[in-house]
Amino acid sequence: MDFATIIGIFGGFGLVIIAMAAGGGLEWFLDGPSAMIVFGGTFGAVLINYPISDIMGVMQVAKNAFRGKKQQAGVVIHQLVEMSKISRRDGIISLQKMIQETRDPFLIKAINLVVDGVDPSHVSEILETELDFIGERHRLGAEIFTTMGNFAPAMGLVGTLIGLVQMLKQMNNPSTIGPAMAVALITTFYGVLLANLVFLPIAGKLKTKSSQEILLKQLIINGILSIQSGDNPRVLEQKLHSYIAPRERRSRFYRD
Amino acid sequence: MDFATIIGIFGGFGLVIIAMAAGGGLEWFLDGPSAMIVFGGTFGAVLINYPISDIMGVMQVAKNAFRGKKQQAGVVIHQLVEMSKISRRDGIISLQKMIQETRDPFLIKAINLVVDGVDPSHVSEILETELDFIGERHRLGAEIFTTMGNFAPAMGLVGTLIGLVQMLKQMNNPSTIGPAMAVALITTFYGVLLANLVFLPIAGKLKTKSSQEILLKQLIINGILSIQSGDNPRVLEQKLHSYIAPRERRSRFYRD
Amino acid sequence: MDFATIIGIFGGFGLVIIAMAAGGGLEWFLDGPSAMIVFGGTFGAVLINYPISDIMGVMQVAKNAFRGKKQQAGVVIHQLVEMSKISRRDGIISLQKMIQETRDPFLIKAINLVVDGVDPSHVSEILETELDFIGERHRLGAEIFTTMGNFAPAMGLVGTLIGLVQMLKQMNNPSTIGPAMAVALITTFYGVLLANLVFLPIAGKLKTKSSQEILLKQLIINGILSIQSGDNPRVLEQKLHSYIAPRERRSRFYRD
Amino acid sequence: MDFATIIGIFGGFGLVIIAMAAGGGLEWFLDGPSAMIVFGGTFGAVLINYPISDIMGVMQVAKNAFRGKKQQAGVVIHQLVEMSKISRRDGIISLQKMIQETRDPFLIKAINLVVDGVDPSHVSEILETELDFIGERHRLGAEIFTTMGNFAPAMGLVGTLIGLVQMLKQMNNPSTIGPAMAVALITTFYGVLLANLVFLPIAGKLKTKSSQEILLKQLIINGILSIQSGDNPRVLEQKLHSYIAPRERRSRFYRD
Amino acid sequence: MDFATIIGIFGGFGLVIIAMAAGGGLEWFLDGPSAMIVFGGTFGAVLINYPISDIMGVMQVAKNAFRGKKQQAGVVIHQLVEMSKISRRDGIISLQKMIQETRDPFLIKAINLVVDGVDPSHVSEILETELDFIGERHRLGAEIFTTMGNFAPAMGLVGTLIGLVQMLKQMNNPSTIGPAMAVALITTFYGVLLANLVFLPIAGKLKTKSSQEILLKQLIINGILSIQSGDNPRVLEQKLHSYIAPRERRSRFYRD
């Protein structure tokens, strides 16, 4: 679990709700038609904007925002250095038994290609295209949330304009103006709150997670090609360590 | 038919209209001069912005937003792999009979070039330029809708300012202020609603469809060049599969 | 004449004016100081932003927005294919007599360079630099109109703030509030209207026209270099046709 | 002197001030705390944003916005063509005496490098790095003004919010509401006016001037390298003329 | 210490506070729920947006905004020129003793690689990857502050909408409207002030500092590679001087 996302959503909404309750009843902020306009309008706009299969796929991707880091770069580097040692000692075919020890489908595919004796340039091309595709799928996920974050306040404005027109058309009784205007403003409140405490931050988290995952896969590609070309495990480790922060580096060879 | 677009537009507008009806009469939101300013102004701005032939052409392009996916990438990959097998067995001239089995003019053009024995570098150049041109036409279509999405709320603001000036100039009778202001706000309502539930989402859908179509044509170019150079059908399939998501891959050779 | 620009400006303003007249007198929307602030401020900001020679030059460029398409790509392709035939039959010197048949200074310069026997790499470099310069001049023209489109609403806001301060400072007589506020809003109205119905759409049209003209000149460069290297006229036509839409292609050799 | 900048600032402010005076007293628009918030806040934000040495340096750069064009491209091209002739006639060492005839430190540095017999690739590298640095310094200057143009209206909003809170907290006497709100709006007026009639246009002018100066220096680099490699003066002129507009070209060899 | 940052924050806030005090009591601007919404909401949004480790890391990076320039480019150039002389006189191994004289871990790593006899292409690759990583870490730091600068005013708007709804729902007593609206506006005031006087300027400073530091490290990489390839110290100095402004150049060989 990614606790930052959970704490952020609950903490953010919690404080907003406490502030809302402190100034009066929470039920003042509940309004059916406003919710219908913001949720319905935003979802409608997204449905027009993207094919239905992409929107379904985004639910899959969105779960990433709530999941903890899948793999530690340090662990992957250790695995690749071990594979480099084994490959130099027992031959590249011996990597086959490493497949049982990993669960990352990308690493498994990479090992399989190398064990099958595929040409290095072909290994690189296939893994890079695969990585491009993964990046594109992530980018689409983040983009759909950004789009929701842009449409929600706009639909909020639509709802507020509807409320204002309705209020102004029947302005006979001055005592109803206040509450009617309050209801009109709730739609904008929904739109701005959803955009800034849900849609846009989740889009941001998906982008961050995606760049972490892609960095890790880039590291795997470099490592696998280095193993295939029979590089020294020490050189391999030094090369892969430059991908991560100094404080995360744990050498099997040197004390930095 | 692309049902997502239909559901999005009808669902979005439906919910907005229900919310409008719930708070009073729908006829409150009908105003001729407001519609004239928003539609006329937006269309005028677009007419100044783009040559008339491009605006006509956009209608052609816009239909794409309401059309279902024309071709499945998996089907095209299967076709190309079959063509690769036939070409290796019966010679490249034998691809001519494949032309009857496809309706995609781009694939037909590609096959014709290869059958005519045109030089690979020339085949690649002609198809890539053709693809650039298609991409440019799509981009223009999406851009015109984005432009409409930007001008519509601005024209809405123009109309609201006109309404406010008219209201303020004749503010003798306080009881008319409310309805007059309601009418003034309707123009902004039209502009924001049109932009966010029609123009901008359609621009988004056109962009998405365009990138799908261009990906498919890029795949065709790679496949045709691979067939021309006599690649192994298995290698061809593996190469083309890296363009699509793992779950969409149906190999004729392996079980992934 | 580019009728789209004319229709757009007159149609857009016409509908806005009809809507204005429908709600009261047009004279309500005339205000000297407001015009002074929006026009003076916008022009002042542009004068600071750009050298005076560029602003003068922009008037030259702006006329393009109101001019019809100067050249048809199809006609130019036909001319180049004819030149290719003549050049292969009678020698490259014979192109000199083609200069009388064209009025495009860029094509004339290109023919002159080739007839003078200038080295192909030099021909390409000189024409490309020339084209870069033309593109830069167009870009500057569109940029100045975009800048005006950004400053006009800002100056409108300045004028409205001035009007509001003046109104609020002398708020003794409630009956004057309405008309005074109406006058204050007129400046914003001027700024938003000018930006969205004049400056920004003209900037857009200039960009569109520029990319058409540059495409055409790129086509001329490719054609001239192809003629210089003695390419087959059929190959030349096929190459140049990939620059234009399928429906605009009229082959001298094939029926597509 | 760059009269466009002077006329723009004085003309723009002049018209705004006339419009302000036409509607009441100019003293209505003077307010100490508003000025403090806009100037102090904007300057504070810029001080946090940039190192103090860069802000000092920007004053140096800002003077460029008020200075006339330092050098005419045509004159520089003439100088370079003359140098090319002399160099071919009397040897490259003879360029030394040309140093007295120019005051541009960049051209002097370029001539010195060539006269010292430095390797062409080294001359190119040193002058290009120098030019990158000049461009970077210009870019920073324009960026600081753009930053001021962004912070000024935001600080204006801060001031207006302060004024509104103060007004609303002591809303006992209705007759003071108008003037208090007028004062609150003055801060936004200051921010928007400064941004749109001073900061942003000056940022724009600095960008324009920078690109002119960099074009000129790029022309000098090309010219010097051409002289060093002993190019024909006619070819040199033709090459350098492609950097400038056709109407500015004055050939020493041809009548265009 | 970076005094510009300190002066900017204290000066900016100081002037704003003086302006606030001049118009009434400062306690008018203190409101618990408003602070909770802006701080809690902004921090919540950032927690969702970024992994917790990155947010912790940003505190480390943020200190840079308050720290003086770590190293003078001139001093580093002098060090590298000295190292070049020593290396040519006593052999490259003798650089080992220079490690004691520097405290920059990047320079130490660079010297170590060279002394260890690592291949130049490998030295370059390792240092460049290291530099990319440092730049990425800096970029993330600035991005988190920019994100806070974008969310703060949005959360301010959320708070103001909450306050307005609460005020409008209980609009029985007209005398409470003013103060209630004042409280509603305070949340926007907090958001806009924090964004424009803290978050966005600090993001700007971090960007500026980062580009200075990266320039310096780029200069070190160039210098070290030049030393490894045994370049003449004079040539080295001339090359490194092109990285800094003319007025900062202090040659050990020439009087410029």
Side-chain angles (χ1 to χ4, degrees):
Chain A
M1 290 295 286
D2 184 330
F3 290 109
T5 305
I6 312 294
I7 295 169
I9 290 186
F10 280 84
F13 271 103
L15 288 173
V16 168
I17 288 169
I18 291 170
M20 275 156 68
L26 278 179
E27 72 282 0
W28 288 350
F29 294 91
L30 295 177
D31 185 55
S34 296
M36 245 164 68
I37 291 171
V38 170
F39 284 93
T42 302
F43 197 63
V46 167
L47 264 176
I48 306 172
N49 219 314
Y50 297 100
I52 222 160
S53 59
D54 287 352
I55 298 173
M56 291 298 154
V58 97
M59 300 305 146
Q60 204 73 15
V61 170
K63 284 189 301 190
N64 283 329
F66 296 92
R67 262 216 299 260
K69 214 190 255 183
K70 248 187 3 212
Q71 289 174 297
Q72 294 290 330
V75 174
V76 173
I77 290 176
H78 179 49
Q79 276 183 314
L80 288 166
V81 170
E82 283 307 302
M83 283 167 59
S84 170
K85 284 182 193 165
I86 291 170
S87 162
R88 278 163 69 101
R89 204 179 51 213
D90 306 335
I92 210 157
I93 301 292
S94 63
L95 291 179
Q96 204 145 20
K97 65 171 186 272
M98 296 299 284
I99 294 174
Q100 272 80 46
E101 289 174 36
T102 180
R103 287 201 325 230
D104 176 5
F106 191 80
L107 184 51
I108 291 174
K109 174 156 200 174
I111 296 173
N112 267 328
L113 285 168
V114 166
V115 168
D116 285 2
V118 176
D119 188 69
S121 75
H122 206 60
V123 172
S124 161
E125 192 195 325
I126 290 177
L127 293 178
E128 290 283 358
T129 319
E130 191 91 26
L131 187 50
D132 285 354
F133 182 82
I134 292 169
E136 183 58 25
R137 220 169 1 142
H138 287 175
R139 198 196 54 69
L140 186 71
E143 193 195 291
I144 290 180
F145 275 95
T146 305
T147 303
M148 290 200 277
N150 292 335
F151 280 123
M155 294 314 300
L157 177 56
V158 164
T160 295
L161 288 167
I162 292 174
L164 287 176
V165 169
Q166 288 171 341
M167 178 194 90
L168 291 162
K169 282 282 187 182
Q170 48 191 342
M171 219 169 63
N172 310 321
N173 183 358
S175 75
T176 63
I177 293 179
M181 200 160 164
V183 171
L185 288 180
I186 286 172
T187 331
T188 291
F189 168 68
Y190 284 177
V192 176
L193 191 65
L194 271 176
N196 288 288
L197 220 44
V198 179
F199 298 147
L200 295 179
I202 285 185
K205 179 76 120 218
L206 290 176
K207 271 182 221 160
T208 315
K209 295 239 163 171
S210 169
S211 66
Q212 281 174 351
E213 201 178 323
I214 282 168
L215 186 85
L216 198 70
K217 289 193 169 24
Q218 198 66 55
L219 186 155
I220 289 175
I221 295 177
N222 265 31
I224 279 291
L225 291 174
S226 196
I227 289 170
Q228 200 176 16
S229 69
D231 275 4
N232 186 310
R234 287 186 183 215
V235 172
L236 174 64
E237 191 190 66
Q238 212 173 6
K239 250 161 109 177
L240 299 183
H241 269 171
S242 60
Y243 278 85
I244 60 175
R247 66 173 191 284
E248 294 178 22
R249 294 175 196 163
R250 300 277 175 280
S251 178
R252 310 281 148 188
F253 303 104
Y254 306 96
R255 300 291 106 212
D256 282 88
Chain B
M1 289 296 286
D2 184 330
F3 290 109
T5 306
I6 312 293
I7 296 169
I9 289 186
F10 279 84
F13 271 104
L15 287 173
V16 168
I17 287 169
I18 291 170
M20 275 157 69
L26 278 181
E27 72 282 0
W28 288 348
F29 295 92
L30 297 177
D31 185 54
S34 296
M36 245 163 69
I37 291 172
V38 171
F39 284 93
T42 302
F43 197 63
V46 166
L47 264 177
I48 306 171
N49 219 315
Y50 298 100
I52 224 158
S53 59
D54 287 351
I55 299 172
M56 291 300 155
V58 97
M59 300 304 146
Q60 203 73 15
V61 171
K63 283 189 301 190
N64 283 329
F66 296 92
R67 262 216 300 257
K69 213 190 256 184
K70 245 182 10 205
Q71 290 174 298
Q72 294 290 331
V75 174
V76 173
I77 290 175
H78 179 48
Q79 275 183 314
L80 287 166
V81 170
E82 284 308 302
M83 283 167 58
S84 170
K85 286 183 193 163
I86 291 170
S87 162
R88 277 163 68 101
R89 203 180 49 213
D90 306 335
I92 211 156
I93 303 292
S94 62
L95 291 179
Q96 204 145 20
K97 66 170 185 274
M98 295 297 285
I99 293 174
Q100 271 81 47
E101 289 174 36
T102 180
R103 286 200 325 228
D104 177 6
F106 191 81
L107 184 52
I108 292 173
K109 174 156 200 175
I111 296 173
N112 267 328
L113 284 168
V114 166
V115 167
D116 286 2
V118 176
D119 188 68
S121 75
H122 206 60
V123 173
S124 161
E125 193 195 324
I126 289 177
L127 293 178
E128 290 284 357
T129 318
E130 191 90 24
L131 187 51
D132 284 354
F133 182 81
I134 292 169
E136 182 58 25
R137 217 166 7 139
H138 288 176
R139 198 196 55 68
L140 186 71
E143 194 194 292
I144 290 180
F145 275 95
T146 306
T147 303
M148 290 200 277
N150 292 334
F151 280 123
M155 294 315 298
L157 178 57
V158 164
T160 295
L161 287 167
I162 292 174
L164 287 177
V165 168
Q166 288 171 341
M167 177 194 91
L168 291 161
K169 282 282 188 184
Q170 49 192 341
M171 219 169 63
N172 311 320
N173 183 358
S175 75
T176 63
I177 293 179
M181 199 160 164
V183 172
L185 288 180
I186 286 173
T187 331
T188 290
F189 168 68
Y190 284 177
V192 176
L193 191 65
L194 271 177
N196 288 288
L197 219 44
V198 179
F199 298 146
L200 295 179
I202 285 185
K205 179 76 119 217
L206 290 176
K207 272 182 220 160
T208 315
K209 294 237 163 173
S210 169
S211 65
Q212 281 175 349
E213 200 178 323
I214 282 168
L215 186 84
L216 198 70
K217 288 192 168 27
Q218 197 66 56
L219 187 155
I220 289 175
I221 295 177
N222 265 31
I224 279 291
L225 291 175
S226 196
I227 289 169
Q228 199 175 17
S229 69
D231 275 4
N232 186 310
R234 286 188 184 213
V235 172
L236 175 64
E237 189 189 68
Q238 210 172 8
K239 250 161 110 178
L240 299 183
H241 269 171
S242 60
Y243 279 85
I244 60 175
R247 66 171 191 284
E248 294 177 23
R249 295 175 195 163
R250 299 279 175 277
S251 177
R252 310 281 149 188
F253 303 102
Y254 307 95
R255 300 289 106 215
D256 283 89
Chain C
M1 289 297 287
D2 183 331
F3 289 110
T5 306
I6 311 294
I7 295 169
I9 289 186
F10 280 84
F13 271 103
L15 287 173
V16 169
I17 286 169
I18 291 170
M20 275 156 68
L26 278 181
E27 72 282 2
W28 287 348
F29 294 92
L30 296 178
D31 184 55
S34 296
M36 244 163 69
I37 291 172
V38 170
F39 284 93
T42 302
F43 196 62
V46 166
L47 263 178
I48 306 172
N49 220 315
Y50 298 100
I52 225 159
S53 59
D54 287 351
I55 299 172
M56 292 299 155
V58 97
M59 300 303 147
Q60 204 74 13
V61 171
K63 284 189 301 190
N64 283 329
F66 296 92
R67 264 217 299 257
K69 215 190 256 187
K70 245 181 14 202
Q71 289 173 299
Q72 293 290 331
V75 174
V76 174
I77 290 175
H78 179 48
Q79 274 183 314
L80 287 166
V81 170
E82 284 308 302
M83 283 166 59
S84 169
K85 286 184 193 161
I86 291 169
S87 162
R88 276 162 70 100
R89 202 180 51 214
D90 306 334
I92 210 155
I93 302 292
S94 62
L95 292 179
Q96 205 145 19
K97 65 171 185 276
M98 295 297 284
I99 293 175
Q100 271 82 48
E101 289 175 36
T102 180
R103 285 202 324 230
D104 177 5
F106 191 80
L107 184 51
I108 292 173
K109 173 156 200 174
I111 296 173
N112 267 328
L113 285 168
V114 165
V115 168
D116 285 2
V118 175
D119 187 68
S121 74
H122 206 60
V123 172
S124 162
E125 193 195 324
I126 289 177
L127 294 178
E128 290 284 358
T129 318
E130 191 90 23
L131 186 51
D132 284 353
F133 183 81
I134 292 169
E136 182 59 24
R137 218 165 8 140
H138 288 176
R139 199 195 54 71
L140 187 70
E143 194 195 292
I144 290 180
F145 275 95
T146 305
T147 303
M148 290 200 278
N150 291 335
F151 280 123
M155 294 315 298
L157 178 57
V158 164
T160 295
L161 287 168
I162 291 174
L164 287 177
V165 169
Q166 289 171 342
M167 176 195 91
L168 291 162
K169 282 283 189 184
Q170 48 191 341
M171 218 170 65
N172 311 320
N173 183 358
S175 76
T176 64
I177 294 179
M181 199 160 163
V183 171
L185 288 180
I186 285 172
T187 331
T188 290
F189 168 68
Y190 284 178
V192 176
L193 190 65
L194 270 177
N196 288 288
L197 220 44
V198 180
F199 297 145
L200 295 179
I202 285 185
K205 179 75 118 216
L206 289 176
K207 272 182 221 160
T208 314
K209 294 238 164 171
S210 169
S211 66
Q212 282 174 348
E213 200 179 323
I214 282 168
L215 187 84
L216 198 70
K217 288 192 168 26
Q218 198 66 57
L219 187 154
I220 289 174
I221 295 179
N222 264 30
I224 279 291
L225 291 175
S226 197
I227 289 168
Q228 199 176 18
S229 70
D231 275 3
N232 186 309
R234 286 187 184 216
V235 173
L236 174 64
E237 190 190 67
Q238 210 173 10
K239 248 161 110 179
L240 299 183
H241 270 172
S242 61
Y243 279 85
I244 61 174
R247 65 172 193 283
E248 294 177 22
R249 295 175 195 163
R250 300 279 175 277
S251 178
R252 311 281 149 187
F253 304 101
Y254 307 96
R255 301 288 105 218
D256 284 271
Chain D
M1 290 297 287
D2 183 331
F3 290 110
T5 307
I6 311 293
I7 295 170
I9 289 187
F10 279 84
F13 271 104
L15 287 172
V16 169
I17 287 170
I18 291 170
M20 276 156 67
L26 278 180
E27 71 282 2
W28 288 350
F29 294 92
L30 295 178
D31 185 55
S34 295
M36 244 162 68
I37 291 172
V38 170
F39 284 93
T42 302
F43 197 63
V46 167
L47 263 177
I48 306 173
N49 220 315
Y50 297 100
I52 224 159
S53 58
D54 288 351
I55 299 172
M56 291 299 154
V58 96
M59 301 303 147
Q60 204 73 15
V61 171
K63 285 189 300 190
N64 283 329
F66 296 93
R67 263 215 301 256
K69 214 191 255 187
K70 244 179 16 200
Q71 289 174 297
Q72 294 289 332
V75 173
V76 174
I77 290 176
H78 179 48
Q79 274 183 314
L80 288 165
V81 170
E82 284 307 303
M83 282 166 59
S84 169
K85 285 184 194 161
I86 292 170
S87 161
R88 277 163 69 100
R89 202 180 51 213
D90 306 334
I92 210 155
I93 302 291
S94 62
L95 292 179
Q96 204 146 19
K97 65 172 185 272
M98 297 297 285
I99 294 175
Q100 270 82 46
E101 289 174 37
T102 179
R103 283 201 328 227
D104 176 6
F106 191 80
L107 184 51
I108 292 174
K109 174 155 200 174
I111 296 173
N112 267 327
L113 285 168
V114 166
V115 168
D116 285 2
V118 175
D119 188 69
S121 75
H122 207 59
V123 171
S124 162
E125 193 195 325
I126 289 177
L127 293 178
E128 290 284 358
T129 319
E130 191 91 22
L131 186 51
D132 284 354
F133 182 82
I134 292 170
E136 182 59 24
R137 221 167 3 142
H138 288 176
R139 198 196 54 70
L140 186 70
E143 193 196 293
I144 290 180
F145 275 96
T146 305
T147 304
M148 290 201 278
N150 291 336
F151 280 122
M155 293 315 299
L157 177 57
V158 164
T160 295
L161 286 167
I162 292 174
L164 287 176
V165 169
Q166 288 171 343
M167 176 195 92
L168 291 162
K169 281 283 187 182
Q170 49 191 340
M171 219 170 65
N172 310 321
N173 183 357
S175 75
T176 63
I177 293 179
M181 201 162 160
V183 171
L185 288 180
I186 286 173
T187 331
T188 290
F189 168 67
Y190 284 178
V192 176
L193 190 65
L194 270 177
N196 289 289
L197 219 45
V198 180
F199 297 146
L200 295 178
I202 285 185
K205 179 75 119 216
L206 290 177
K207 272 182 221 160
T208 315
K209 295 238 162 168
S210 170
S211 67
Q212 282 173 349
E213 201 179 322
I214 282 169
L215 187 84
L216 198 70
K217 289 193 167 25
Q218 197 66 55
L219 186 154
I220 289 175
I221 294 178
N222 264 31
I224 279 289
L225 291 174
S226 197
I227 289 170
Q228 200 176 16
S229 69
D231 275 5
N232 186 309
R234 286 186 184 215
V235 172
L236 175 64
E237 191 190 67
Q238 210 172 9
K239 248 160 109 177
L240 298 183
H241 269 170
S242 61
Y243 279 84
I244 60 175
R247 66 173 191 284
E248 294 176 22
R249 295 176 195 163
R250 300 278 174 280
S251 177
R252 310 283 148 185
F253 304 101
Y254 306 98
R255 299 292 104 215
D256 283 272
Chain E
M1 290 297 287
D2 184 331
F3 289 109
T5 307
I6 312 292
I7 295 170
I9 289 186
F10 280 84
F13 271 103
L15 288 172
V16 169
I17 287 170
I18 290 170
M20 275 157 68
L26 278 180
E27 72 282 1
W28 287 350
F29 293 92
L30 295 178
D31 185 54
S34 295
M36 245 162 69
I37 291 172
V38 171
F39 284 93
T42 302
F43 196 63
V46 167
L47 264 176
I48 306 173
N49 220 314
Y50 298 100
I52 223 160
S53 59
D54 287 351
I55 298 172
M56 291 300 153
V58 96
M59 300 304 145
Q60 205 72 15
V61 170
K63 284 189 301 189
N64 283 329
F66 297 92
R67 263 217 300 259
K69 213 191 255 184
K70 246 187 5 211
Q71 290 174 298
Q72 294 289 332
V75 174
V76 173
I77 290 176
H78 179 48
Q79 275 184 314
L80 288 166
V81 170
E82 283 308 302
M83 283 166 58
S84 170
K85 285 183 194 163
I86 291 170
S87 162
R88 278 163 68 101
R89 203 180 51 214
D90 305 335
I92 211 157
I93 302 291
S94 62
L95 291 179
Q96 204 146 21
K97 65 171 185 270
M98 296 298 285
I99 294 174
Q100 271 82 45
E101 289 175 36
T102 180
R103 285 202 326 228
D104 177 5
F106 191 81
L107 184 51
I108 292 173
K109 174 156 199 171
I111 296 174
N112 267 327
L113 285 168
V114 166
V115 168
D116 285 2
V118 176
D119 188 69
S121 74
H122 206 59
V123 172
S124 162
E125 193 196 326
I126 290 177
L127 293 178
E128 290 284 359
T129 318
E130 191 90 25
L131 186 51
D132 284 354
F133 182 81
I134 292 170
E136 183 58 25
R137 222 168 0 142
H138 287 176
R139 198 196 53 69
L140 187 70
E143 193 195 292
I144 290 180
F145 275 95
T146 305
T147 303
M148 290 200 278
N150 291 335
F151 280 123
M155 293 314 301
L157 178 57
V158 164
T160 295
L161 287 167
I162 292 174
L164 288 176
V165 169
Q166 288 171 341
M167 178 194 90
L168 291 162
K169 282 283 187 181
Q170 48 192 340
M171 220 169 64
N172 311 321
N173 183 357
S175 74
T176 63
I177 293 179
M181 200 161 163
V183 172
L185 288 179
I186 286 173
T187 331
T188 290
F189 168 67
Y190 284 177
V192 176
L193 190 65
L194 270 176
N196 288 289
L197 219 44
V198 180
F199 298 146
L200 294 178
I202 285 184
K205 179 75 120 217
L206 289 176
K207 271 182 222 160
T208 316
K209 294 238 162 171
S210 169
S211 65
Q212 282 174 349
E213 201 179 323
I214 281 168
L215 186 84
L216 197 69
K217 289 193 169 21
Q218 198 66 58
L219 186 155
I220 288 175
I221 295 178
N222 265 31
I224 279 290
L225 291 174
S226 197
I227 289 170
Q228 200 175 17
S229 69
D231 276 5
N232 186 310
R234 286 185 184 217
V235 172
L236 175 63
E237 192 190 66
Q238 210 173 9
K239 250 160 111 177
L240 299 183
H241 269 170
S242 61
Y243 278 84
I244 60 174
R247 68 172 190 284
E248 294 177 22
R249 295 175 196 164
R250 299 279 175 278
S251 178
R252 309 284 147 185
F253 303 102
Y254 306 96
R255 299 294 104 210
D256 282 270

